[in-house]
Amino acid sequence: MDLIRSMLVAVSGLSANYAMAETTNYPLTLDNCGKQISFSAAPNGTVTIGQSATETLYALGVGDQVLATSVWFTPILAQFSELNASIERIADNDPSFESVVNKRPELVAVQYEWHVGETGSVGTREQFDDLGIATYIMPADCDTKDNTTGGDGMRTAPFSPDHVYKGIAELAEIFNVQPAGEALIESLESREADAVATAAQLDLPDDLSAVFWFSSPDNGVAPFVAGQLGAPGYMMQSLGIHNVIESDEEWPTVDWETIARANPDVIVIAHMDRRRYPADDVDAKRAFLESDPVTSEMQAVQNGHIIEMDAHAMSATMRTIFGLETLSDALSRMTFER
C-alpha cells in the first residue's frame, strides 16, 4: 500500500502544471507530435477522428464547432448525448480522406497517430496541410510513444494522465476557452486522487496481479492484452497491481497458455459497441473464459474476479480516469485469499 500512498501524494496539486493564460494571444504556434502547427484564430469548423478528440471538444464547450465525428468504440458520455445526436457521424470506424475534407474543416482533431500520420490510414498530415487544414493529434498517443513500429505502437516510457491533461490544455488554448480547460483538468485530477485514495484503504495483497483483455481477432486465438506502459499499466501501477504482461507494446498479442501460467488474480475485459472482431462482444469474452479448458482453470475465472470496463477507458483518454474509478470500486467488493 506504500506505492498507492505515494501515488496519492503525486496526483495531488497537479493542476498547477496546467495554469493557462486567460485568453489566447493569436497567432498561436504549438509543437504537436513532432510537428509545428499554427492558428491565426480559433478554428471555424472541426472534424474529429477518434472518440477521445470528440469528447474532449464537447467537454470544453466547443461542440458547436464540430462538423462531423468518426471512430467510435462506446456510446457517448451521457451528458453529451443530445449534442452528439445533432452532429453527423461520417464513420463508425476509419473515415475516408474525402469524407473528412468534404466537410471543409479548418481543423482535424485526431485521437490516434496511425489514423493521421506518416502512414495514416485516413491520410497524412501533409495531405491535410496541402488543403490548408490544420491537424492536431492528442498528445496521449504520441508523447512517450513510438508509433513507427506499426500496429498500436510502442511506449517508450509509462503513460501518465499528464499527457491527457496536456491535450485538454492545448485544445482549450487553440479554441480560446482556457477556463473550461482548467475546470475539466481539475475535475479529472480530483477524481483520480479519490480513486487512488479509495484503493489505499483496501487490504489488497502486495502481490495482486491482473491482465487487461481488449479484444481478439477471433475466438480462442491470442488476445490483444495491455502492455505494461499504456493506460491500463498506469491504472495497475496506481493501485499497486502487478501486470502479468511485461511487453512495452501498447496492445501485444499473448497466447492464452502463457496468460494461464501467469494465473492473474483479476481479469479486466473491455466492454464496447464496436464489432470489428468476435471478441469485441463482452458476453463472448465471458463465455470463452468460462468454457475454454485453459482459461476456465485460471483463479480469476473460478473466483469470479472478472471486471468489465469501458473499452475507451483502456485507451489513453480522459476516460482512463473513469477506468481507474471502475477498477478501484470493483476491487473494494472482492476478497483475496493467500
Side-chain angles (χ1 to χ4, degrees), residues 284-296:
K285 289 186 179 77
R286 282 189 175 275
F288 172 78
L289 289 172
E290 293 167 0
S291 64
D292 181 80
V294 172
T295 60
S296 61

Side-chain angles (χ1 to χ4, degrees), residues 8-220:
L8 181 58
V9 172
V11 299
S12 63
L14 285 178
S15 58
N17 295 331
Y18 301 97
M20 301 172 238
E22 290 186 6
T23 60
T24 303
N25 183 23
Y26 298 105
L28 171 68
T29 299
L30 298 171
D31 289 321
N32 175 242
C33 295
K35 178 179 173 59
Q36 195 171 79
I37 57 176
S38 297
F39 301 89
S40 58
N44 182 20
T46 302
V47 171
T48 57
I49 303 176
Q51 188 170 346
S52 175
T54 305
E55 292 184 337
T56 300
L57 292 177
Y58 289 174
L60 289 173
V62 293
D64 60 336
Q65 292 298 319
V66 178
L67 303 171
T69 71
S70 59
V71 186
W72 290 87
F73 290 94
T74 58
I76 189 70
L77 292 170
Q79 64 265 40
F80 305 128
S81 58
E82 184 176 351
L83 168 63
N84 192 61
S86 69
I87 296 174
E88 180 182 0
R89 180 183 295 199
I90 54 176
D92 289 334
N93 295 304
D94 297 13
S96 67
F97 179 76
E98 292 75 15
S99 68
V100 175
V101 301
N102 283 346
K103 303 305 294 183
R104 300 187 182 278
E106 291 188 0
L107 172 68
V108 174
V110 184
Q111 177 172 347
Y112 297 115
E113 192 171 11
W114 60 271
H115 279 136
V116 178
E118 290 185 12
T119 58
S121 62
V122 177
T124 65
R125 302 188 83 170
E126 290 71 24
Q127 284 177 291
F128 285 105
D129 282 346
D130 289 344
L131 297 175
I133 301 172
T135 54
Y136 180 85
I137 299 171
M138 303 301 285
D141 192 58
C142 57
D143 286 2
T144 70
K145 191 176 176 204
D146 179 4
N147 288 317
T148 66
T149 59
D152 292 304
M154 182 87 69
R155 287 280 170 186
T156 57
F159 160 80
S160 164
D162 285 1
H163 310 314
V164 173
Y165 302 151
K166 176 183 175 181
I168 293 170
E170 289 185 339
L171 283 172
E173 190 174 15
I174 290 169
F175 283 92
N176 195 20
V177 289
Q178 286 87 333
E182 289 179 340
L184 178 57
I185 291 169
E186 289 174 3
S187 172
L188 292 170
E189 287 177 337
S190 177
R191 294 177 67 165
E192 181 185 6
D194 287 348
V196 174
T198 295
Q201 303 303 314
L202 303 178
D203 185 23
L204 300 175
D206 291 337
D207 59 348
L208 188 68
S209 63
V211 65
F212 277 59
W213 177 17
F214 191 83
S215 190
S216 302
D218 206 347
N219 290 324

